[in-house]
Amino acid sequence: MSEIDRALHEDWHPIAALNELEKTTIQERCLLGKSLILWRDGDRVAVWENRCPHRGAKLSGATVTGDRLVCPYHGLHYDRAGQCVFIPAHPDLKPPDRLHVRSYPCQIHYDLIWVNLSKNNVPIPEFREWNDPNYRKFLCGPYVYESSGFRAIENFLDVSHFPFVHDGLLGDRDRPRVEEYTIDRDRDGLKLNNVGVWQPDPDGTGSGGRVTYDYSVSRPLTASFVKHASGGKLAIFFTVCPTAEEACVGWMWIAMNYGQNLPEAELRAFQDRVVRQDLPIVASQHPKRLPLDLKAEIHLPCDRASIAYRQWLRELNIRFGTLW
Ligand code: FES
Ligand code: CO
């Protein structure tokens, strides 16, 4: 396993939004190619391997009876901890300890269910505006990218595509110039400072203007920005769940300190439209995995952010030219 694979295995990933899990229903999800189930029982959520230890049947077809999960194949009952507590074919037998479904640590933060495939205790990535009452917030997604999570994050850091992919929304084809910006690196990751672009209607007032973005990349698959427009600040916390090598699911929390009266449905529809424009372009990038060999693609001065991102990932001691 390369260092970046290890880093992903040791990191937390947002596997679902809380509102996707109805009470006591079972959901199947994929994380780093591994099939998992989540089930919610009251306020608790458990994340298990999608495999019954008896004969390997998928537990996503299980039923929930009280606080037990019943395997669809031979009806073994598992308690919330994943321990088999009843074997219908042998009702008097005490199930052995090793009849235990593998479970994974999970936590609920920002109304998302985060899962970690290791026992490592790294913190959940920070969403700075989460506790700031000056910002209204809403969650957008899930956005399904047919590409690696790293391509999705790099797309998020790239403002030079705005006038083309998002012409009329986030940019203007006639004003595509990207100004110089600076990059800092510290223990918390990467910071892109003062990335300036022109936008047709940056703060919902109907008039165009120059905006600046301050980005921060705190984890391989979590990045955020604060956009400064004359009418206020808008932040996006973007976190991506690597479902497989060449597929991922993204979530965006949007936080804004203006436009309290703008209907949420309208704001969400705007973001959905923006991301729907990104999805086919990102899916079209070949290879789907992000090349970390800097010679593999051609860089322009405006690509400083993506170069820094690739270098930063490389410095997690990547040994391969491509990764998840
Ligand atoms: Fe699950 Fe047999 S495989 S009970
Ligand atoms: Co875009």
Side-chain angles (χ1 to χ4, degrees):
M1 192 187 287
S2 72
E3 292 297 323
I4 189 71
D5 286 344
R6 190 168 303 127
L8 290 186
H9 273 265
E10 292 184 356
D11 208 349
W12 291 97
H13 301 287
I15 197 162
L18 206 46
N19 64 16
E20 290 182 292
L21 263 192
E22 293 298 317
K23 236 185 168 186
T24 66
T25 57
I26 300 170
Q27 301 258 337
E28 186 174 353
R29 286 289 187 282
C30 225
L31 175 58
L32 295 165
K34 194 183 276 292
S35 181
L36 303 174
I37 57 161
L38 341 181
W39 65 291
R40 181 175 181 170
D41 176 17
D43 288 340
R44 288 180 37 137
V45 178
V47 178
W48 290 0
E49 186 175 35
N50 188 10
R51 182 180 178 277
C52 176
H54 173 231
R55 283 294 180 265
K58 280 193 167 187
L59 287 171
S60 44
T63 47
V64 176
T65 304
D67 60 355
R68 293 176 179 186
L69 199 131
V70 180
C71 177
Y73 199 0
H74 310 99
L76 269 58
H77 288 209
Y78 294 96
D79 70 9
R80 284 160 158 216
Q83 176 60 43
C84 179
V85 289
F86 182 65
I87 303 170
H90 305 288
D92 302 324
L93 185 74
K94 182 184 176 301
D97 288 352
R98 61 179 199 286
L99 260 178
H100 196 106
V101 187
R102 181 151 189 205
S103 67
Y104 296 97
C106 74
Q107 292 188 31
I108 297 168
H109 283 273
Y110 322 133
D111 294 346
L112 295 168
I113 300 163
W114 298 78
V115 179
N116 194 322
L117 292 179
S118 73
K119 303 280 180 219
N120 231 36
N121 213 9
V122 294
I124 300 280
E126 188 188 2
F127 171 23
R128 279 202 198 90
E129 291 75 16
W130 178 248
N131 286 319
D132 186 335
N134 295 316
Y135 286 81
R136 70 179 292 191
K137 297 164 202 89
F138 54 97
L139 179 64
C140 294
Y143 298 125
V144 180
Y145 289 79
E146 290 172 30
S147 194
S148 86
F150 300 108
R151 286 278 195 195
I153 292 285
E154 192 177 84
N155 168 257
F156 181 75
L157 304 177
D158 171 12
V159 299
S160 69
H161 78 281
F162 287 0
F164 302 96
V165 177
H166 310 299
D167 185 24
L169 295 180
L170 297 181
D172 178 342
R173 250 167 218 263
D174 296 329
R175 304 178 81 152
R177 180 185 292 273
V178 177
E179 295 163 22
E180 292 260 316
Y181 57 89
T182 61
I183 298 177
D184 294 324
R185 293 172 57 154
D186 60 21
R187 282 182 34 197
D188 297 329
L190 289 178
K191 303 268 187 303
L192 322 176
N193 313 305
N194 221 14
V195 187
V197 289
W198 195 89
Q199 290 192 339
D201 182 15
D203 42 25
T205 56
S207 48
R210 182 180 177 274
V211 297
T212 57
Y213 286 82
D214 289 324
Y215 282 91
S216 100
V217 187
S218 59
R219 297 289 174 82
L221 293 176
T222 299
S224 57
F225 68 64
V226 180
K227 177 169 97 174
H228 307 264
S230 56
K233 289 195 268 191
L234 180 143
I236 297 188
F237 173 83
F238 181 43
T239 184
V240 172
C241 180
T243 47
E245 291 181 30
E246 297 184 353
C248 67
V249 175
W251 298 93
M252 290 183 184
W253 265 107
I254 303 199
M256 43 202 286
N257 71 355
Y258 63 94
Q260 296 301 331
N261 300 325
L262 296 171
E264 187 177 309
E266 218 170 88
L267 297 167
R268 188 187 301 281
F270 180 90
Q271 193 60 32
D272 288 350
R273 210 170 140 202
V274 167
V275 177
R276 270 201 309 272
Q277 292 173 332
D278 283 319
L279 294 178
I281 282 283
V282 175
S284 78
Q285 287 179 280
H286 179 81
K288 287 182 184 291
R289 294 183 184 198
L290 187 70
L292 295 184
D293 173 358
L294 290 186
K295 294 194 201 75
E297 292 180 342
I298 313 297
H299 309 288
L300 304 173
C302 61
D303 295 323
R304 220 170 293 128
S306 82
I307 297 166
Y309 177 56
R310 293 179 187 198
Q311 274 171 338
W312 181 64
L313 291 175
R314 264 180 85 92
E315 282 170 33
L316 298 169
N317 290 325
I318 319 275
R319 290 183 197 100
F320 309 117
T322 56
L323 54 107
W324 285 94

